[in-house]
Amino acid sequence: MHTADLFADDNTASPLPERVELGAQSVLLRGFALPVADGLLSAVASVSAGAPFRQMVTPGGYTMSVTLTNCGALGWITDRRGYRYARQDPLTGAAWPPMPDVIRDLGRAAARAAGFDGFDADACLINRYLPGTKMSLHQDKDERDMRQPIVSVSLGIPAIFQFGGLQRSDPTQRVPLIHGDVVVWGGVDRLRFHGVLPVKTAHHPIVGDERLNITLRMAG
Ligand code: MD6
Ligand code: FE
């Protein structure tokens, strides 16, 4: 190889792009949550102290592999009666814990960075993925105002996010997500199918052997 080739543009070590466009109104903001990751983890710990992670059952009778909890005025739940948002935790009968500012502020900032001004989440779903758990391909359509985007924050061990089209049968992109990544999708992409492939065993130095996903929405 000629020395010059070592310095050619396409051989130059470059940092990962911080913005990856996944669709016309969908973007992966790589590392966007890193500056507040420790604060987010403390927030998740305090939320789950009041509203523990638990498995839920889908309307079809399947037990979801992930465990979940919520904070904020509205929490996403599922049982045999359907998917919906609820003001009370069905486990405790109490209101969900308030949404910590670090979560709400991150959601607003990420949505703005993705081109959605005025995003102020009232619903925060927190999913916990242990190795082998997954989220099947689905659309998010339980929210009242579909003009508002979804903000999804990844913490802990990596996962592969599947991002499809408006039809279940459309091809899916496979997007590796790591600690600190944030995906925002809305507008023409709001109803795109998405999911998470079974998470592989791994270790994260701060979070441990699990993945946490914080999904923010304006649901009410
Ligand atoms: C995730 N969660 O946990 C993505 N959507 O990475 C979702 O897409 C989701 O957990 C609708 C309802 C519940 C969910
Ligand atoms: Fe979803």
Side-chain angles (χ1 to χ4, degrees), residues 135 138-140 150 185 194 215 217:
M135 180 75 57
H138 66 276
Q139 292 171 295
D140 286 17
I150 297 164
W185 67 101
H194 57 279
T215 297
R217 306 190 185 87

Side-chain angles (χ1 to χ4, degrees), residues 64-82:
M64 294 178 71
S65 62
V66 301
T67 55
L68 66 87
T69 186
N70 289 280
C71 61
L74 293 168
W76 183 87
I77 62 171
T78 175
D79 58 21
R80 291 306 301 249
R81 287 159 47 214

Side-chain angles (χ1 to χ4, degrees), residues 9-31:
D9 276 350
D10 54 349
N11 288 332
T12 307
S14 61
L16 289 170
E18 49 187 31
R19 262 183 101 88
V20 182
E21 308 293 334
L22 303 178
Q25 291 185 278
S26 311
V27 65
L28 161 57
L29 305 170
R30 256 194 223 288

Side-chain angles (χ1 to χ4, degrees), residues 171-190:
T172 57
Q173 307 176 58
R174 291 179 173 205
V175 185
L177 297 179
I178 62 170
H179 185 71
D181 286 350
V182 180
V183 179
V184 182
W185 67 101
V188 297
D189 294 325
R190 179 63 176 72

